[in-house]
Amino acid sequence: VGLRVRYAILLCLDAPVWFSLITHMESFIKVVQRIEGRGLGPSPLTVVRSLRGVAYEGDAFVEHFLGDPDPFPSGENEAPMWDPTLSEFIHLMVRHRIVGQAREEGVVLGSDGTTVALGSLLLGIEAGLVAGAGESVSGLYSLTIARNLGLSFLHSQDSQILGPDGCWDNVTFPRVFTLSGPPSLATDALVNGGMDGVLLGKYLSTHPLHALQLSTVLRDYYGLHPGGPPEGPHLISFQRRDNFRRLVNGSVLQELVLGSLATLQRLGEAEDTGQACDHPPELLSPAECPVIIPRCQWGARPYRGSPTQLSLPLAFMYIHHTHTPRQPCLSFRQCTADMRAMQRFHQDVRRWDDIGYSFVAGSDGYIYEGRGWQWRGAHTRGHNTRGYGIAFVGDYTATLPARRSLELVRESLASCGVMAGWLTGNFTWHGHRQLVNTSCPGGALYLEIESWKQFRSRDQAARHH
C-alpha cells in the first residue's frame, strides 16, 4: 500500500513524465535525462551504476563482474541523484520479473514496435563504460544474454529455450505486457535487451566517457530523433539481429553459455550444470530468424469465422506489392496504421475473413504477421493452399522496396521457414503475375525477384502448379 501511495505521489508531481514511465523506451530516456540534469550532471557510468543499485542489489553474478553498486549515489556535485521513493519506482521499472497471468515486467515498448528488458540493456552498457574508463572488464556477454540462455536451457521442461513474445494492452499508451504462452527464462524481451546491451556495450567501450551522454546514446540507438534517425549505416535497434550476428555465431554463443553456467555454479547461484556440459545446448541463435510483429501489436481485428489450417510444409512463396498504400511505410506507427487499413479493406470491402497476406514487409526493418505460417491466406487465387503470400507495402511499378526489406524476405524469412519446417527446402519464389492476371508485384519488383535463387519462370510456374 505504501508503495502505491508513493507511486501516486510521483504521478502527481510530474504527470507527463511519470504516467507511462514503466512501459515505453522514450519515457525511460526522459528519466535518464532528468537524472543527467541534476546539478553538474552525473557521468553515464554513475547513472547506470546507480540504476543497477536499485535493481540488482545482492545479485552475486552481476557483482562478480561489475563490483558492488551504490543504491543511493550522489552525483559529481555530491547532491543525491534521487530519493528512496524514486529508487523504488525505478526498481519496478528495471528489475525483470514475470508475475501472475503471464505478465512480464521490467520491459518497455520501443519506438520500433519491439519490447526490450531494461535490466539486460543496462548491464551491457555498464560493462562497456567500465572498459571505456580504462578498467579491466569481462563478462559482457554473460551479463547481457549468456546467463539467461544458460538458465533457460537448464530449466526448460521441453525444447523451448527461447521466447515467447507477447502483446501490449495498447501500443499507443502501453501499460501491461502479457506473454503469448508459457515463458522460458529467456523471453524475447530479455533476448532483445541482451543483444542491445552487447552492441551498445561494445560501442561505448571505444569512446571516451567525457564525450558521452547516456540519454543521447539511447535516443540515437532507438531512433528517437525529432527529425528521424541520421542517415547512413549506424547502430540502431531494428538492425540488432544483423549486428549481433556479426559479433557472435552459434558455436561462440554456445561456449559463452557454458562459461556463464560454470560461473554460476562456482558462485553457488546454480545447481549442478553437468547436463549442459555433457549435452551442450543446441541453441537457435536469436539472430537467425527475423522479428515478426504479431497481430496484436499492429492492432488486428479478430478473424471472421474459423481459419483453415494449412497442410505443411508448403513449397511456394508468392511475392506481392500492396499498390494501396502506394508509399512505403517507414516507421512502426506508419506500418501498423497501413496494416489496419489493409485489413479493413479486405474485410469490409472485399468481404474476406481477414487480411489476405500471410506476411507483410514494411520499410521500417520489420515483417508483420498477416495470417501467419499456419493458416490459409487469400492472396493468390487458386493457389492459397500451396504457398505463402508475402506483400511489400508500397507500389513497386517503377521503384524497389528498401534493400533491408528485400533481404529480410529473401534471406531471413525464407530460411527461418525452412528451419522451422513450415517451408520445404526446395521451395520456389514466384511473382503474383505469374499465376493471376495482374501487374502485381509491379515491374521493378518483379525484375528484382527474377534474380533470386530458387525463382521459377512463368513457364516453370505453370508446369508446377
Side-chain angles (χ1 to χ4, degrees):
V1 175
L3 183 57
R4 286 199 297 269
V5 170
R6 288 193 287 271
Y7 177 76
I9 292 172
L10 266 174
L11 293 179
C12 294
L13 288 175
D14 197 346
V17 173
W18 304 113
F19 183 73
S20 60
L21 185 61
I22 62 174
T23 56
H24 204 284
M25 181 62 73
E26 187 166 13
S27 297
F28 174 67
I29 294 173
K30 288 179 180 178
V31 173
V32 173
Q33 287 178 303
R34 185 185 181 104
I35 296 169
E36 290 170 338
R38 297 292 294 267
L40 299 178
S43 70
L45 184 56
T46 300
V47 173
V48 291
R49 274 184 171 155
S50 59
L51 290 170
R52 175 164 64 91
V54 297
Y56 282 96
E57 188 177 12
D59 190 319
F61 185 84
V62 173
E63 292 175 8
H64 171 75
F65 293 105
L66 296 176
D68 295 332
D70 181 357
F72 301 107
S74 297
E76 277 71 359
N77 59 348
E78 299 303 321
M81 287 171 58
W82 53 61
D83 60 28
T85 301
L86 181 55
S87 297
E88 291 183 56
F89 194 72
I90 291 175
H91 185 282
L92 291 175
M93 179 175 58
V94 176
R95 184 90 182 195
H96 183 268
R97 58 215 165 271
I98 296 170
V99 297
Q101 306 301 314
R103 175 173 172 172
E104 188 171 16
E105 297 183 345
V107 299
V108 295
L109 175 64
S111 61
D112 60 356
T114 58
T115 301
V116 177
L118 288 175
S120 302
L121 165 68
L122 293 170
L123 290 176
I125 289 174
E126 183 176 350
L129 288 170
V130 169
E135 301 178 30
S136 175
V137 68
S138 61
L140 172 63
Y141 293 95
S142 296
L143 290 165
T144 52
I145 197 166
R147 172 172 69 163
N148 292 329
L149 290 176
L151 289 174
S152 182
F153 170 74
L154 285 181
H155 293 88
S156 61
Q157 300 299 314
D158 48 34
S159 60
Q160 183 190 9
I161 296 175
L162 298 175
D165 199 354
C167 291
W168 290 94
D169 55 337
N170 185 306
V171 295
T172 304
F173 301 104
R175 302 296 299 276
V176 177
F177 186 70
T178 304
L179 294 166
S180 58
S184 72
L185 294 182
T187 63
D188 281 20
L190 270 175
V191 171
N192 287 340
M195 287 191 287
D196 291 348
V198 167
L199 295 168
L200 287 176
K202 283 279 189 182
Y203 169 79
L204 293 170
S205 69
T206 64
H207 287 69
L209 292 180
H210 63 80
L212 295 170
Q213 191 169 40
L214 182 60
S215 60
T216 301
V217 171
L218 292 172
R219 192 168 291 277
D220 287 347
Y221 183 76
Y222 290 102
L224 292 166
H225 302 269
E231 296 296 328
H234 58 292
L235 279 180
I236 193 165
S237 59
F238 75 78
Q239 294 179 344
R240 67 167 64 90
R241 294 196 176 201
D242 287 343
N243 289 328
F244 185 79
R245 185 189 294 118
R246 294 186 184 101
L247 289 177
V248 184
N249 60 35
S251 60
V252 171
L253 186 60
Q254 187 178 75
E255 292 177 7
L256 291 166
V257 166
L258 293 176
S260 296
L261 288 175
T263 301
L264 282 167
Q265 187 172 0
R266 287 197 304 271
L267 294 171
E269 296 290 305
E271 297 178 0
D272 183 21
T273 59
Q275 61 167 311
C277 297
D278 296 337
H279 305 284
E282 294 182 3
L283 295 169
L284 175 64
S285 169
E288 289 179 17
C289 282
V291 173
I292 298 176
I293 303 295
R295 292 169 61 89
C296 58
Q297 286 291 81
W298 57 263
R301 292 172 169 178
Y303 190 94
R304 291 179 178 172
S306 300
T308 300
Q309 193 156 14
L310 292 165
S311 179
L312 303 175
L314 303 188
F316 304 98
M317 296 279 261
Y318 307 125
I319 298 298
H320 301 248
H321 71 167
T322 63
H323 193 269
T324 303
R326 286 185 176 275
Q327 298 301 316
C329 61
L330 303 175
S331 68
F332 174 69
R333 180 172 295 182
Q334 183 184 0
C335 290
T336 55
D338 286 348
M339 291 294 292
R340 292 190 294 271
M342 285 187 283
Q343 187 187 40
R344 286 195 300 271
F345 176 71
H346 288 175
Q347 287 186 322
D348 298 346
V349 178
R350 294 193 168 175
R351 314 305 297 177
W352 295 348
D353 293 334
D354 197 2
I355 188 171
Y357 306 116
S358 306
F359 299 98
V360 177
S363 291
D364 61 337
Y366 292 109
I367 292 171
Y368 290 77
E369 180 186 27
R371 300 206 190 184
W373 294 111
Q374 305 285 343
W375 310 106
R376 186 182 70 191
H379 44 78
T380 311
R381 181 174 297 175
H383 305 280
N384 292 315
T385 61
R386 309 187 67 187
Y388 296 108
I390 318 298
F392 290 86
V393 177
D395 180 346
Y396 297 107
T397 302
T399 61
L400 284 175
R403 180 59 53 184
R404 161 75 178 171
S405 299
L406 292 169
E407 292 172 353
L408 272 176
V409 172
R410 185 185 66 229
E411 305 296 339
S412 300
L413 184 66
S415 62
C416 188
V418 171
M419 284 189 297
W422 296 312
L423 195 61
T424 62
N426 63 344
F427 80 93
T428 53
W429 298 103
H430 303 278
H432 188 196
R433 64 172 63 183
Q434 293 176 266
L435 305 163
V436 177
N437 184 20
T438 177
S439 62
C440 179
L445 181 53
Y446 183 69
L447 285 174
E448 163 68 22
I449 65 171
E450 280 187 307
S451 68
W452 291 7
K453 185 180 178 181
Q454 297 181 237
F455 172 83
R456 277 213 177 115
S457 69
R458 183 186 296 268
D459 291 339
Q460 289 172 318
R463 286 200 301 271
H464 286 82
H465 283 76

